[in-house]
Amino acid sequence: MTKKFYITTTAPYVNADPHIGFALEIIQADAIARFKRLQGYDVAFGFGTDEHGLKIYQKALEQKKDPLKYCDEYAKKFDDLKKMLNLSVTHFIRTTNPTHVQAAQEFWNRCFKNGDIYKKNYKTKYCVGCELEKTDSELVENKCPVHPKLNVEIIEEENYFFRFSKYQKKLLQLYRGQADFVLPSFRLKEIEDFVDKGLDDFSVSRLKKKMPWGIDVPGDDDHVMYVWFDALVFYISTLGWPKDEKNFNDFWPVVQVAGKDNLRQQSAIWQAMLMSAKLPNSKQIFIHGFITSDGQKMSKSLGNVVNPFELINKYGIDAVRYYLLREIPPAGDGDYSEKRMNEVYSSDLANELGNLVMRITTLAEKDRLDIPSYALQTMHYELLFNNFEFNLILENIWKRIKTLNKQVDDFAPWKKTSQERKEFLIRSLNEINQVGYDLQPFLPETAEKILKATMGKITKIIPLFPRL
């Protein structure tokens, strides 16, 4: 029976164009998905768009658009990422899809039947940017530190609440029973400390007359679901839950990739919700950091927001994938700079990798070499992949590329006899073929070109990364 593996990113809000931070997240997930396929897994790789909530509703009103039509425009931009970033995605779901709406309502019913959803009046401070309630201790001068330009809103109404506090002990047991449940380890410690301090029940509905853009609460036409409660269910509605129980049971639990601003929602709120619905918890959650631009936080006012589509148009898909996976620390914050992008493109990609393949295939074509096939090795970076250490894997691959370039220089095959040169070129082609194999999760287009160029009748390859 084929082994199953399921990985997803978060579901980004459709209130802005896709940014480089989400491009990083989904490329990281794609690298894992491709690696798992090389290991023989049947992989489900999903992502989606989060399309409900106050933030979306306000944006649609600002632009005088029907909320669904507004969402349609932006959802397409995220769907286009599949092609733009060469993603091996198998599932894409919108939280406005009827199948997701049905799943969210069924999930609500299960939590309600288990006594974990109740009604009460409350008053709270709320950040529309985060779509989260905020305590005074989380605010700086009554502003959310993540969205300092937005006014914190006061919500005072009757809402349904989720018994988050009920699951404090079970969450702590989950964290302490699985040391790698959240990676990196300091993020697990962070969420454990948060839960250990005690949990407050949180609102899971909004009055429809104030905020109509949401999924109807089952049995109560006056309320719609709170956006986070609805959106998190996309992890299971993607697999067809609850209608397709077989597919869900085959692939669940999931490996989730998320940004550090999603730590609480993914590793505490969502896990407690799963416990309430009597469903298995996620398998693992990998938390990545943020990307700055030339050392500064990206913002529209500074004009330093990096658009992934523009980068791809200039440098190509694989160059952008390489930069994000090699230069951005997987578990921490990283920086994008045009200067560094140019350096990486020229040195690593054009000079080291591209030049190596060009030199060897040029010589092999002259000698009319024909390589029937190779016995490819299996991927030998499983531990690093399991720890999401993409940069270290690429560092190791590039060490081999540098070694191969040095061997060419030292051996100088153009000075050797025909037989000596042939033996050297066959060995080199074999090594480069393995490099191509290892690069498949990271630079899929480039890897395919290398694999084709190093087998059969060898011909000089077209430059993999043309000079800028």
Side-chain angles (χ1 to χ4, degrees):
M1 183 177 175
T2 306
K3 300 175 290 183
K4 308 284 187 181
F5 180 80
Y6 176 36
I7 188 165
T8 75
T9 65
T10 54
Y13 283 117
V14 291
N15 64 324
D17 291 337
H19 57 77
I20 197 167
F22 185 66
L24 167 69
E25 182 173 307
I26 202 161
I27 287 170
Q28 289 176 333
D30 185 61
I32 294 292
R34 290 177 182 273
F35 174 73
K36 286 296 182 179
R37 289 192 186 97
L38 289 173
Q39 287 188 310
Y41 283 85
D42 180 7
V43 175
F45 172 24
F47 82 108
T49 45
D50 183 357
E51 302 181 20
H52 292 123
L54 186 58
K55 192 190 307 189
I56 305 295
Y57 185 61
Q58 288 179 344
K59 283 286 185 180
L61 291 181
E62 282 175 20
Q63 297 183 23
K64 297 180 180 178
K65 293 179 180 177
D66 173 78
L68 183 57
K69 288 184 178 178
Y70 171 86
C71 290
D72 287 345
E73 293 174 14
Y74 279 97
K76 184 181 183 304
K77 294 180 181 181
F78 282 92
D79 195 24
D80 287 346
L81 286 177
K82 291 186 287 190
K83 183 177 180 182
M84 287 294 293
L85 298 174
N86 192 12
L87 304 171
S88 60
V89 168
T90 58
H91 296 70
F92 177 79
I93 194 166
R94 299 172 55 184
T95 58
T96 50
N97 285 4
T99 53
H100 173 79
V101 172
Q102 293 165 11
Q105 290 176 327
E106 172 61 20
F107 196 95
W108 175 286
N109 284 333
R110 294 193 184 193
C111 296
F112 186 83
K113 287 175 183 176
N114 287 330
D116 290 335
I117 292 178
Y118 64 95
K119 220 178 200 182
K120 77 167 185 177
N121 290 306
Y122 87 119
K123 181 178 180 180
T124 189
K125 293 179 178 179
Y126 187 80
C127 172
V128 176
C130 295
E131 294 276 15
L132 285 174
E133 297 163 17
K134 297 290 178 178
T135 62
D136 287 336
S137 63
E138 293 176 301
L139 302 175
V140 178
E141 297 180 355
N142 207 37
K143 296 278 188 178
C144 170
V146 181
H147 301 96
K149 293 184 179 180
L150 297 178
N151 290 325
V152 171
E153 299 196 3
I154 304 296
I155 293 178
E156 188 172 7
E157 60 188 39
E158 184 181 57
N159 283 178
Y160 286 94
F161 274 70
F162 177 72
R163 294 188 194 278
F164 195 30
S165 56
K166 174 181 172 181
Y167 292 96
Q168 179 187 12
K169 289 184 179 179
K170 286 188 176 181
L171 286 170
L172 291 174
Q173 288 171 356
L174 174 65
Y175 305 149
R176 292 164 184 171
Q178 185 181 336
D180 64 348
F181 180 69
V182 177
L183 290 176
S185 58
F186 68 87
R187 295 293 180 201
L188 179 64
K189 180 68 166 61
E190 185 181 333
I191 194 62
E192 185 179 338
D193 289 346
F194 169 77
V195 172
D196 199 34
K197 290 174 184 175
L199 299 174
D200 294 323
D201 296 352
F202 61 87
S203 168
V204 290
S205 77
R206 295 290 181 265
L207 281 174
K208 189 188 288 189
K209 64 183 179 182
K210 291 184 179 180
M211 209 292 292
W213 186 237
I215 294 175
D216 288 342
V217 167
D220 191 337
D221 293 338
D222 293 332
H223 287 260
V224 295
M225 291 184 197
Y226 166 59
V227 62
W228 274 109
F229 191 94
D230 143 32
L232 289 166
V233 178
F234 108 94
Y235 288 116
I236 57 177
S237 64
T238 296
L239 295 176
W241 184 92
K243 288 190 173 180
D244 194 343
E245 288 280 355
K246 182 181 185 305
N247 194 56
F248 173 73
N249 291 329
D250 282 349
F251 283 98
W252 192 263
V254 67
V255 172
Q256 299 170 210
V257 182
K260 64 180 181 179
D261 56 336
N262 264 259
L263 175 65
R264 188 191 309 180
Q265 296 92 312
Q266 311 301 322
S267 58
I269 291 175
W270 173 229
Q271 303 311 315
M273 287 168 58
L274 286 166
M275 292 171 180
S276 174
K278 308 297 183 187
L279 294 172
N281 287 105
S282 301
K283 181 186 293 183
Q284 191 175 47
I285 301 165
F286 170 68
I287 302 292
H288 64 81
F290 290 161
I291 301 179
T292 54
S293 179
D294 286 315
Q296 291 182 300
K297 183 178 178 180
M298 291 187 202
S299 74
K300 290 180 181 177
S301 59
L302 290 174
N304 66 348
V305 175
V306 179
N307 184 314
F309 295 103
E310 292 175 2
L311 285 187
I312 290 163
N313 287 333
K314 182 174 182 179
Y315 296 101
I317 295 172
D318 278 1
V320 173
R321 289 175 64 108
Y322 179 77
Y323 186 98
L324 293 176
L325 293 169
R326 175 76 188 268
E327 292 293 308
I328 306 299
D333 295 340
D335 187 65
Y336 174 83
S337 77
E338 192 74 7
K339 179 184 177 183
R340 182 58 185 154
M341 182 72 197
N342 275 282
E343 289 173 353
V344 164
Y345 184 96
S346 298
S347 62
D348 294 22
L349 299 173
N351 290 345
E352 291 171 357
L353 176 59
N355 193 42
L356 171 66
V357 182
M358 176 74 79
R359 295 166 84 188
I360 294 299
T361 57
T362 299
L363 290 168
E365 181 185 55
K366 287 180 181 178
D367 282 9
R368 299 179 180 179
L369 290 187
D370 194 332
I371 310 295
S373 64
Y374 298 105
L376 286 172
Q377 303 168 16
T378 56
M379 295 291 285
H380 42 273
Y381 298 110
E382 184 172 5
L383 181 59
L384 292 175
F385 265 110
N386 289 344
N387 290 321
F388 302 88
E389 293 178 305
F390 312 104
N391 55 341
L392 295 183
I393 300 171
L394 286 168
E395 184 181 317
N396 284 331
I397 293 173
W398 249 258
K399 283 179 182 177
R400 290 168 58 203
I401 292 169
K402 290 175 188 288
T403 298
L404 288 170
N405 272 311
K406 187 175 185 305
Q407 288 174 357
V408 176
D409 292 337
D410 291 346
F411 186 76
W414 48 89
K415 295 181 180 179
K416 298 296 190 289
T417 65
S418 175
Q419 184 58 32
E420 289 173 327
R421 184 169 61 250
K422 181 179 179 181
E423 291 173 359
F424 175 81
L425 290 175
I426 289 173
R427 287 197 306 273
S428 298
L429 286 166
N430 196 353
E431 290 267 10
I432 295 170
N433 187 272
Q434 181 62 49
V435 166
Y437 183 82
D438 290 346
L439 283 176
Q440 288 177 98
F442 307 100
L443 315 181
E445 277 193 356
T446 302
E448 185 179 0
K449 290 175 183 176
I450 291 171
L451 291 172
K452 286 182 178 178
T454 51
M455 286 192 290
K457 186 178 180 181
I458 308 299
T459 57
K460 177 182 175 181
I461 196 170
I462 297 171
L464 295 172
F465 296 94
R467 304 285 178 185
L468 294 172

